[in-house]
Amino acid sequence: MMASEPVARAVAEEVGRWGSMKQTGVSLRYMMEFGSVPTDRNLLLSAQFLQKELPIRIARRALELESLPFGLSAKPAILKVRDWYLDSFRDIRYFPEVRNRDDELAFTQMIKMIKVRHNNVVPTMALGVQQLKNEQFSSRKLPPGFDEIHGFLDRFYMSRIGIRMLIGQHVALHEPEPQPGVIGLINTKLSPIQVAQIASEDARSICMREYGSAPDINIYGDQNLTFPYVTSHLHLMLFELVKNSLRAVQERYMNSDKDVPPVRIIVADGTEDVTIKVSDEGGGIRRSGLPRIFTYLYSTAKNLPDMEGPSEGVTMAGYGFGLPVSRLYARYFGGDLQIISMEGYGTDAYLHLSRLGDSEEPLP
């Protein structure tokens, strides 16, 4: 749908105005405390906050999408993402001011739709960046200035995690019968061992599907340990790390008659962090290649899945977005992800998750 010129110009001005406003960060602890009593009044306050906050965050990204280096902004996939952001900006800005419960429920339905609209942002962006890479940078070496795109993607995805967290949290607070200990998307008694088990089973089943077999996974740590965290975030990060380890071990031992070593997951409880180590004997990564593993576009997969065709679901080797995006998820609530490798032996990934929950979201 093409908007008429004056309308498009008015929207562009509005995006410029909102994109220059200051964002307001919230912490995991604040979300937990605020959401622990999801009264109508609190839900109304939450919706009123989002009606002001979301357009600022969305506008900032829409503006950045228009000024990317190397002609990336003109790639069809990137234009598609920009249109999603502009549509969402328009939807929120032209929604009447939220004043009562009925407004709040209608607003909640609308932002739920926005979240769905943006479901495929990561693969679509990956496609745009991939198109650029194929056209301009055929060599393995990326040109100087490419880190500008890397910085943009870091900011863009970090911001997307925040937007989805805010919308998801608000929507989830409407759940009529939440599970005990669950506040919106946050499980106040999350068991890292349990999430590790589920993520491991999921990753193993994909490995089985792709290779016909999969290494074992052994999990160590205190079964009773719980701490507050967002279950879906932890699952996403662990799934990615375990999948990488399974693939490395599988490919290293595929044609060997040696025993296939298991992947080990160790969960440790500290005062400041809960740390989860995913450890494999998949041969490791060269030291010269280590800095590259957190750059978008570095994928060890030989041929990338075609984004235009129907999606086959998750494959073992993705677009080279898995590790950098996982690290952003870890950093979003004040944690981090580190990879240490021994070439010729294997790789250890350390996922640090902040126990305190009081660091505010990073606001790019």
Side-chain angles (χ1 to χ4, degrees):
M1 170 188 100
M2 284 302 292
S4 67
E5 270 301 301
V7 173
R9 209 168 28 247
V11 170
E13 279 172 14
E14 189 75 337
V15 167
R17 198 164 67 82
W18 282 79
S20 61
M21 294 182 195
K22 192 176 177 319
Q23 309 172 86
T24 307
V26 287
S27 66
L28 183 72
R29 175 174 297 178
Y30 178 79
M31 284 189 239
M32 273 192 329
E33 287 169 2
F34 182 85
S36 58
V37 268
T39 56
D40 286 351
R41 181 168 183 279
N42 271 357
L43 291 173
L44 186 62
L45 288 170
S46 169
Q48 287 166 342
F49 168 69
L50 293 182
Q51 196 169 21
K52 291 195 183 73
E53 183 64 19
L54 291 174
I56 299 177
R57 297 191 184 198
I58 289 169
R60 288 175 90 104
R61 302 289 72 89
L63 290 171
E64 249 197 316
L65 281 166
E66 288 174 356
S67 53
L68 298 174
F70 299 112
L72 183 57
S73 293
K75 294 281 166 278
I78 306 296
L79 289 170
K80 191 191 233 176
V81 173
R82 195 204 61 187
D83 285 345
W84 289 337
Y85 273 74
L86 290 175
D87 288 346
S88 298
F89 177 82
R90 233 186 259 120
D91 286 349
I92 301 173
R93 281 297 300 130
Y94 296 139
F95 192 90
E97 195 184 334
V98 177
R99 293 182 170 178
N100 57 37
R101 181 172 157 76
D102 288 344
D103 296 348
E104 190 275 318
L105 291 173
F107 179 81
T108 301
Q109 282 311 311
M110 186 261 303
I111 59 174
K112 208 173 177 171
M113 293 303 298
I114 287 180
K115 190 160 180 263
V116 172
R117 173 187 290 146
H118 291 248
N119 276 349
N120 289 322
V121 162
V122 175
T124 311
M125 289 291 290
L127 173 65
V129 177
Q130 199 54 48
Q131 288 166 341
L132 178 76
K133 190 185 177 195
N134 295 345
E135 283 166 27
Q136 300 203 12
F137 322 128
S138 44
S139 71
R140 292 292 284 170
K141 223 175 121 41
L142 294 176
F146 198 83
D147 43 1
E148 204 183 319
I149 288 185
H150 178 79
F152 157 72
L153 289 169
D154 262 349
R155 289 191 301 280
F156 186 82
Y157 289 130
M158 184 62 98
S159 169
R160 177 174 186 269
I161 292 169
I163 290 169
R164 293 182 83 74
M165 181 67 206
L166 292 181
I167 295 178
Q169 182 66 6
H170 179 81
V171 170
L173 287 175
H174 290 73
E175 190 61 50
E177 289 172 14
Q179 303 276 308
V182 172
I183 298 172
L185 299 177
I186 304 160
N187 185 347
T188 62
K189 295 190 160 48
L190 177 136
S191 156
I193 297 262
Q194 210 174 352
V195 178
Q197 282 162 343
I198 297 166
S200 297
E201 283 163 27
D202 292 348
R204 271 194 97 232
S205 68
I206 285 173
C207 187
M208 293 292 276
R209 192 180 72 198
E210 213 145 303
Y211 297 103
S213 65
D216 286 337
I217 300 173
N218 300 336
I219 303 177
Y220 307 91
D222 177 1
Q223 300 284 345
N224 301 318
L225 162 65
T226 65
F227 76 117
Y229 208 73
V230 178
T231 312
S232 56
H233 288 192
L234 182 54
H235 182 281
L236 177 144
M237 295 183 280
L238 284 176
F239 173 77
E240 183 63 34
L241 295 174
V242 172
K243 182 168 65 83
N244 288 349
S245 285
L246 290 174
R247 179 164 161 254
V249 173
Q250 194 64 31
E251 299 210 337
R252 188 181 191 198
Y253 286 87
M254 215 150 35
N255 305 315
S256 140
D257 38 16
K258 295 196 178 105
D259 285 345
V260 178
V263 169
R264 288 189 296 275
I265 301 178
I266 297 112
V267 178
D269 181 19
T271 334
E272 213 170 280
D273 287 345
V274 169
T275 304
I276 303 175
K277 175 165 81 162
V278 178
S279 187
D280 70 60
E281 294 173 37
I285 303 159
R286 289 182 202 163
R287 199 153 52 96
S288 62
L290 265 177
R292 291 225 310 262
I293 62 174
F294 284 113
T295 57
Y296 298 93
L297 291 185
Y298 171 73
S299 176
T300 47
K302 296 294 173 282
N303 36 15
L304 280 150
D306 173 25
M307 297 294 318
E308 296 293 357
S311 161
E312 306 290 280
V314 185
T315 56
M316 287 299 279
Y319 311 101
F321 275 48
L323 278 177
V325 169
S326 296
R327 183 166 69 174
L328 294 178
Y329 271 96
R331 288 178 173 175
Y332 177 70
F333 283 128
D336 209 353
L337 170 61
Q338 289 169 315
I339 306 278
I340 299 187
S341 185
M342 288 173 78
E343 190 188 6
Y345 180 75
T347 302
D348 289 342
Y350 292 88
L351 181 57
H352 302 281
L353 307 167
S354 168
R355 240 185 171 304
L356 310 170
D358 47 14
S359 68
E360 268 188 15
E361 347 160 55
L363 294 174

